Every structure is written in C-alpha cells, then in structure tokens.
Amino acid sequence: MISSTLPGSPPASYGTNDRAISTDESVTAWALAARGGDARAVEQLVRALQRDVLRYVAHLCADPQAVDDLAQDTFLRALGSLHRFEGRSSARSWLLSIARRAVIDSYRYAAARPRLSDIPDWQSAVERAQPRDLPGFEEGVGLLELLELLPAERREAFVLTQLLGLPYADAAALSGCPVGTVRSRVARARATLLDLLAEAAA
C-alpha cells in the first residue's frame, strides 16, 4: 500500500475508481521525481509497480523460469530511460509497455536457441508473482490457471483491464489496437471464463 504521507497519495475515503486514478497519478509523480534524481522516488516507483510487472510478464512469458529476470530487465530498462519519460501517459502504462518489449525481445533471443521444454509451468510463475499469505490465494491461482486457456490476445486484454486495472484506452495503446477491440476481447474472455467455471462446478 502506498503511504499517505507521500505526495499525491489518495485519501482513505476515496472509492475504488478514484483510488486507482489517484494511485496512477502518484506513481507518475514518483517517476517524474525519479527522473530528476530523487532516490526515494525511485524506490517508491519500483515498489508500487513491481507486482503489476510480475503479473503481466507471467501472463506474457512462455518460460516461467524467466519471469523474475524479465521483471528485473523491465525495471533496468525503465530506470535507464527515465530521462525520456515526460508524463504524457501514466508511469504504469509506460512501464508495462517496457515489460511487453522485454518479453518480445526475449522471444526473439530464444528463437535462436534450442528450447529445453515446451511445457510451461504456469502455476509456479503465479506462485512466485503472488504472496501466499493473502486471503483468496488458492482461488486466485485457480482463476489464473483458467486464464491460460484463453487465446493470448483475450488473456492480455483481460489481465490489463480486469487484474491490473488499466483503463481501456491505455490497454488499447499498449496492445496496439482500437479501444473497441479491447472491450470485445474482454467481453469474450469473461464469457469464456464463465463457461469454464460452470464446467468446473458441474
């Protein structure tokens, strides 16, 4: 949780949507401060976005053993290019776009090397990306396993908007497609998940 003593942090009375917007504003403010050399802002930026980056990379990456390394690579790239961040988009959208590029680059690199295994162990990746002591952890793992049954584009749209809380417009910009396409993918993902849950309960 972001400390209320930091600039731009949301009051406890804010609603969910207001809190998400205010949190994005705070994270963006930290990124701008970090760009100016504020070491504390760098720490807060990494702490605030680390879990989102891990979860997003885990859903994009075919190699769960590489999730932590890719997340670290994402932050190294981001910190190395902070001088170019001007706050035109939220820092979270900016960082997730860097994470996406890091995964794509890893695919390109891996394409030139032999694969040791084609069977991804998604549950291990989820367990590394999500604290075990949180209420509903087992249910969360179950949902993430179901998400892996979705087509990649629908899964990405669902993860960005429903799990990470990114606005549809930001998710569309990140995915390189129209907002309407993201909404359609999310709606189809929800319908498929409901069908899968119904089958599991039968």
Side-chain angles (χ1 to χ4, degrees), residues 59-130:
H59 280 284
L60 293 178
C61 182
D63 179 7
Q65 303 301 321
V67 169
D68 288 335
D69 287 342
L70 285 168
Q72 183 176 8
D73 183 33
T74 296
F75 282 106
L76 288 174
R77 292 183 184 206
L79 295 178
S81 59
L82 263 177
H83 62 283
R84 293 196 296 268
F85 178 70
E86 298 178 354
R88 294 177 183 172
S89 63
S90 73
R92 183 163 59 144
S93 296
W94 174 71
L95 197 60
L96 292 178
S97 71
I98 293 174
R100 196 172 200 265
R101 286 196 300 273
V103 173
I104 290 171
D105 288 347
S106 76
Y107 280 142
R108 290 174 178 161
Y109 178 73
R113 303 178 60 187
R115 301 257 332 223
L116 297 178
S117 172
D118 289 328
I119 305 173
D121 180 7
W122 291 106
Q123 185 167 351
S124 296
V126 171
E127 289 173 355
R128 286 199 305 275
Q130 188 171 353

Side-chain angles (χ1 to χ4, degrees), residues 18-195:
D18 289 338
R19 187 179 297 114
I21 293 170
S22 186
T23 298
D24 271 351
E25 291 174 352
S26 297
V27 171
T28 300
W30 291 328
L32 292 171
R35 184 185 67 172
D38 186 332
R40 185 164 179 258
V42 171
E43 179 184 345
Q44 293 296 339
L45 175 67
V46 172
R47 184 180 302 165
L49 296 178
Q50 186 173 25
R51 186 177 179 192
D52 282 355
V53 169
L54 279 168
R55 292 176 74 180
Y56 186 46
V57 168
H59 280 284
L60 293 178
C61 182
D63 179 7
Q65 303 301 321
V67 169
D68 288 335
D69 287 342
L70 285 168
Q72 183 176 8
D73 183 33
T74 296
F75 282 106
L76 288 174
R77 292 183 184 206
L79 295 178
S81 59
L82 263 177
H83 62 283
R84 293 196 296 268
F85 178 70
E86 298 178 354
R88 294 177 183 172
S89 63
S90 73
R92 183 163 59 144
S93 296
W94 174 71
L95 197 60
L96 292 178
S97 71
I98 293 174
R100 196 172 200 265
R101 286 196 300 273
V103 173
I104 290 171
D105 288 347
S106 76
Y107 280 142
R108 290 174 178 161
Y109 178 73
R113 303 178 60 187
R115 301 257 332 223
L116 297 178
S117 172
D118 289 328
I119 305 173
D121 180 7
W122 291 106
Q123 185 167 351
S124 296
V126 171
E127 289 173 355
R128 286 199 305 275
Q130 188 171 353
R132 277 191 171 276
D133 57 347
L134 290 179
F137 172 79
E138 295 300 332
E139 293 83 352
V141 170
L143 171 61
L144 294 174
E145 288 177 341
L146 289 179
L147 281 173
E148 296 310 324
L149 301 176
L150 296 174
E153 291 178 343
R154 294 180 192 177
R155 181 173 66 244
E156 181 183 18
F158 188 91
V159 169
L160 287 172
T161 61
Q162 308 304 302
L163 296 187
L164 301 184
L166 217 59
Y168 280 88
D170 289 356
L174 186 56
S175 302
C177 65
V179 173
T181 300
V182 172
R183 292 187 185 279
S184 175
R185 289 174 181 173
V186 171
R188 291 179 181 179
R190 284 175 174 164
T192 301
L193 288 173
L194 287 174
D195 289 343

